[in-house]
């Protein structure tokens, strides 16, 4: 089940928030909080295809190609 971010949603459909003077994407912050630091150059993909979802069980690290392939499915 998705956990939908209820804060600000940017023009691309992703949750976004500010903390300590920096802007964060909610799904990336959720991934890093629950699963650890994101590998440089990697993307966070959603198995649920819901950009507002921050459920760490629905998030996985992937390449640009993984993200593009998943988006078009």
């Amino acid at each position: 089940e998705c956990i939908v971010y209820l804060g600000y949603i940017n023009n691309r459909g992703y949750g976004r928030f500010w903390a300590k003077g920096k802007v964060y994407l909610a799904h990336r912050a959720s991934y890093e909080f629950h699963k650890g630091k994101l590998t440089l150059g990697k993307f966070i993909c959603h198995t649920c295809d819901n950009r507002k979802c921050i459920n760490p069980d629905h998030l996985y690290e992937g390449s640009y190609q993984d993200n593009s392939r998943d988006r078009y499915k």
Side-chain angles (χ1 to χ4, degrees):
E1 183 170 319
C2 290
I3 300 170
V4 177
Y5 182 73
L6 299 176
Y8 175 81
I9 304 298
N10 70 15
N11 61 349
R12 297 193 52 153
Y14 294 101
R16 188 174 83 174
F17 65 93
W18 291 264
K20 297 183 180 182
K22 188 174 176 185
V23 177
Y24 296 89
L25 290 173
H27 67 293
R28 291 174 66 94
S30 175
Y31 179 91
E32 289 194 354
F33 180 80
H34 293 281
K35 297 185 177 184
K37 190 81 173 146
L38 180 62
T39 305
L40 185 64
K42 293 291 186 172
F43 291 75
I44 297 300
C45 307
H46 293 82
T47 59
C48 58
D49 297 322
N50 180 355
R51 293 178 179 187
K52 297 176 189 172
C53 181
I54 58 171
N55 183 341
D57 293 333
H58 293 187
L59 304 174
Y60 68 96
E61 188 177 289
S63 66
Y64 175 81
Q65 291 82 9
D66 295 331
N67 195 35
S68 295
R69 189 177 319 113
D70 185 55
R71 183 177 53 236
Y72 291 113
K73 278 189 202 176

